[in-house]
Amino acid sequence: MASLGAGGGSANSSHRHRSLAPPAHVLASIFTSKPPPHYVPGIGRGASGFTTRSDIGPAAVSLGGAGAVGQEAPADAAPGQQPVNDGAYNAALGNDGGLLAKRYDDDDEDKEADAIYQAIDAKLADRRQQGVREQKIKDQIEQNRKDNPKITEQFADLKRRLKDVTEEQWEAIPDASDLAAKRQRKNDTTVAMPDTLLRRALEGQETNAHIDPTAMPGAGAGGGGDGATDLKAVGEGRQTMLGMKLAKLSDNVSGQTTIDPKGYLTSLSGMHVNSEAEVSDIKKARLLLKSVINTNPGHAPGWIAAARLEETAGKMSEARRFALTGTEKCPKSDDVWIEAARLHPPDTAKAILARGVAANPDSISLWLAAADLEPDTLSKQRVLRRALMQIPTSVKLWKASVDLSSEEDARLLLTRAVECCPQHTELWLALASLETYEAARGVLNRARAAVPTELSIWIAASELEEANGNGKMCGKIISRAIKSLASTGTAIDRDTWLREAEKCEKSKSPATCRAIVFATLGMGVEEIDRQRTWSADAEDALGRSCPETARSMLLKAIEAFPGKVSLWRQLVKLEKACGTATDEVLAILTKSVSHCPQAVVLWLMAAKERWLGGGQMPPSAEAVDGARAILQEAHRHNADSEDIILAAHKIELDSGEHERARILLARSRDRTGLCSMDGTAKSAASGGSERIYIKSALAERMERNHKEELSLLTEGLGKFPKSWKMWLMKAQALRRGGGDVDGDGDVSMLKVEPGSSANAKMDDAKACYERARAALQQGVKQCPHSIPLWLASADLEFDMDFPAKGRALLEQARLKNSKEDRIWYLHVQRERKLSTGGDVHAAEKLMAQALQECPESGLLWSAHIGMAPRQVRKSRCADALKRCDKDVRVIGAVARLFWADGKLDKARSWLTRATSLAPDDGDTWVLLYRFEQAASAASASETSGASSVIKACTAASPKHGIFWTRVSKDPELWEWDASWKSRVASSASSAHEMRIERTLELASQLMSAEEDALEGVGSRK
């Protein structure tokens, strides 16, 4: 019987092991009872074979073996086929029914698994059906479109056929109105005229001498005539209209008429003609305000609004009536009394305000309004004094009375006012301003005792001491103010103090301003942030036009950080911006170098200020000696500074001491370990730096000592082979015929005899070009990213009439520096000059490529505008301004366009704007100089604007520009300067200004020649 319990599954295993053997009577009843339905003996022990569901499919599982007990095989079963027990199939157990079926029920896990499988099956079925549904919807939409096509689809074929319609056929198409008229004419029908109509027409032509009563309109019971006029109805309508007009003239509130019999015509002339909409709005507002007044008659704004509405409508009598009624209904409202007084004449208004003051004796506004109605000052003072007797604590009344009084009377009034209103600081300060020095001090002391928390009293006391020449007390007063306010618990932050300092500066009290800044600048600022914060505060104060406050802040910062060079430089910049005298600036610089002796920049600023501070050009001998002394002292503290040596060289050079300048440079070339202002070493191992060699070569060029110049450049390039400036200077020296350097370093000069032939001179020129070309080739190899070297190499080839080589060099330069607009510009300009027969398509194509590579280049856009025909330049200017509206070259191109159109004022304004945007660009000054010369020549004016341009350009001292640098770095200009200095030594103009004028003149000629050459190409085009 153990096998009977084994069929119960794992859930009954533990119970089987724990239970004991069944009793004997139970075993006997089991063996004698009938087996349960579908019981198969031995199946729990695996005694019979079995068949899985995968073998026979989803049908019922065969029990196998000899067949089920108590069942017989069907009669039509095949031999050897086992019967299938369909009735015992269970959804969870399959065919495992029988005795143990009662112990095998579905648990929660099986139900959950079934639910999951059912959900998966449903989702898969829905996915299969989704495609079917989408296809069905698509078919329905297509069928609907076929059944109900759009109007555009119906006439699509007709629209396509419209392309074949000729112009005559199109003009022959009739309009819709013509077609309607034709259709209407087609529908018109004509019928024969009846005899009755003819008879009536005949009778109408006869003359009757009597009136037929039956023919009158409305005669008889029915009133028989149609279309006739009823005289009774006309009379009734006239009466109705008259009643409406009379109702308009009546008052809707009281029913009384508003017509003034005496002033009717006068009032008509003063009426405003309003539109129907305005009249309707006034009526609606009148009804609304009537409701407000009737609902709440004690509401003063309602009466005021009603009065102003009638005033707007032109009914002053109604407005006055509403205002007076408002005073009766709201006697405690100040606004109603003031409104009523405003609407009445002055005499009536005085009476109204008198009643108002009687009803409201403590109303300040009514007393002030009553004083305003008085015609003279004495009457106004009388009214205000009566008001002060009634309201002695009113500050407004005291101020109004003081404003109308003389100085002596005002002092007496203010003495009484501070007694009545001791808490008002304005009265105390006004009284102190009218008193003498000693009395004012007493007034301020009493004010400070009465109002101990007021800051303005302390500041007024400091200003009083400063105004009386006792400025040393300002600092003590401000310090006492800070302590006193802190003891009373009055918290005043740092920003408030600094704002008060700026107010003191604007009120011409610099000592008080400085005292406030010194005492309060460090409030709430961390020690580590003091320098940065104070410097920023000074910049902000200067931006608000408070230089004294900014100066005080910087002085306080320097007092805390005397070794900070940036603070000293900021202070000097401030002093120069404020126009401080040269001696004071020198004093500050002298003090700065005493605290910062290693700051080279401060020494240089001091030397320059001493040299040029007097404004005398050329500088006097005293100024030059002073600058030399400062630089000597600077050199003693900074013996290795290259910048000090170069500054001394510049002073000697500009003073005409060329030999001393050359000696200074020669000594610096022999020194080692020279440093610049940033502290970085600049000199080579054997002495001298790149800048020293460049300055030395320039000095030799000025002296026309080409052999020494070339020797210095060769020596410098041996130490600094990456110096593109020295390579360029060497090529220029060789191109001028300076000779060459052999392998031993010796310079061989080219000498052309005066009687040499033209061929010999040409051969010498070619030799110079070849040597310059070799130098530039070496320089390009050493400095492949130096744009000036590439441009000089290309220019040399073009000048030697080798355009193919020049183009090749520019192509190589573009490959290595594709975003450099100067290379593109030179290439385009050279292509324009080389264009034959006016064919500039190559230049235009190249310009298009250049603008694609450098779309923000003002240099290229200006050339692009110059290449365009006259009628296209305006649109190109617009495109250029969209790309780079602040580029001076584009602005100059726009100015040229205005100049060509004769709009001189606009051209001048654009050129002035360009010089202000980039004062360091010399080409812009040259263009403005040319324009002013042309304008003065066209107007035949004796006063030319070119002189002002020269002065402004001298102040700007430009150093850049294509045409400017070609002239300013030309040695011939230096020779011209030297000769002119000796000729006009007594001239008021400075040598620098004369040199600027000469540079402007030569650069203007060079620019004109360039433009003429390019305009020739454009004219050929």
Side-chain angles (χ1 to χ4, degrees), residues 694-706:
I694 291 175
K695 293 293 184 180
S696 301
L698 286 175
E700 299 299 336
R701 180 185 295 184
M702 291 177 65
E703 294 296 325
R704 286 287 183 170
N705 193 351
H706 299 302

Side-chain angles (χ1 to χ4, degrees), residues 938-959:
S939 61
S941 176
E942 295 181 358
T943 59
S944 174
S947 58
S948 61
V949 174
I950 294 172
K951 293 180 179 179
C953 185
T954 304
S957 297
K959 296 179 178 60

Side-chain angles (χ1 to χ4, degrees), residues 685-950:
S686 58
S689 67
E690 179 183 350
R691 290 177 63 193
I692 294 294
Y693 276 99
I694 291 175
K695 293 293 184 180
S696 301
L698 286 175
E700 299 299 336
R701 180 185 295 184
M702 291 177 65
E703 294 296 325
R704 286 287 183 170
N705 193 351
H706 299 302
K707 182 177 180 180
E708 187 65 26
E709 174 192 0
L710 198 57
S711 176
L712 287 171
L713 289 173
T714 304
E715 181 183 352
L717 287 172
K719 298 177 180 180
F720 306 97
K722 299 296 182 180
S723 175
W724 64 269
K725 281 189 177 182
M726 283 196 281
W727 284 113
L728 189 59
M729 292 174 65
K730 182 178 180 180
Q732 292 172 355
L734 292 173
R735 187 171 178 178
R736 289 193 304 269
D740 197 3
V741 181
D742 56 14
D744 298 332
D746 298 330
V747 178
S748 60
M749 302 300 297
L750 289 173
K751 295 183 180 180
V752 180
E753 298 296 335
S756 301
S757 62
N759 293 332
K761 293 180 180 180
M762 186 177 298
D763 293 339
D764 292 337
K766 288 182 179 180
C768 293
Y769 275 109
E770 291 295 336
R771 293 178 179 181
R773 176 191 291 171
L776 288 173
Q777 288 177 354
Q778 293 178 8
V780 167
K781 290 180 181 178
Q782 293 289 340
C783 310
H785 297 291
S786 175
I787 307 303
L789 283 178
W790 285 107
L791 298 180
S793 301
D795 275 332
L796 182 65
E797 298 297 339
F798 282 114
D799 293 342
M800 292 177 65
D801 201 12
F802 293 112
K805 291 184 178 180
R807 290 191 182 101
L809 283 172
L810 290 175
E811 291 288 344
Q812 294 178 15
R814 290 211 314 267
L815 290 175
K816 295 184 178 181
N817 307 275
S818 60
K819 299 297 182 181
E820 183 56 49
D821 57 348
R822 289 178 290 177
I823 300 175
W824 289 101
Y825 174 79
L826 178 61
H827 202 170
V828 170
Q829 298 297 83
R830 286 294 185 175
E831 291 294 340
R832 290 178 65 187
K833 292 180 180 179
L834 293 173
S835 59
T836 57
D839 185 14
V840 293
H841 294 294
E844 291 177 351
K845 182 179 179 181
L846 193 62
M847 177 60 75
Q849 296 177 3
L851 289 175
Q852 288 180 356
E853 291 291 337
C854 309
E856 307 294 334
S857 172
L859 181 64
L860 294 177
W861 276 108
S862 62
H864 190 48
I865 295 170
M867 292 172 60
R870 183 73 174 273
Q871 60 273 15
V872 187
R873 291 183 181 179
K874 187 176 292 185
S875 61
R876 288 195 180 178
C877 285
D879 296 338
L881 288 174
K882 290 179 182 178
R883 289 284 187 176
C884 35
D885 58 335
K886 294 184 179 180
D887 192 279
V888 292
R889 300 175 184 87
V890 174
I891 295 174
V894 176
R896 290 173 189 267
L897 182 62
F898 286 127
W899 185 3
D901 293 340
K903 301 177 181 178
L904 301 183
D905 293 337
K906 287 188 176 181
R908 183 180 287 106
S909 64
W910 280 78
L911 287 173
T912 306
R913 178 191 172 195
T915 55
S916 61
L917 284 176
D920 198 47
D921 186 80
D923 290 349
T924 308
W925 291 103
V926 173
L927 185 58
L928 180 59
Y929 178 75
R930 289 181 55 202
F931 169 78
E932 293 295 346
Q933 281 188 328
S936 61
S939 61
S941 176
E942 295 181 358
T943 59
S944 174
S947 58
S948 61
V949 174
I950 294 172

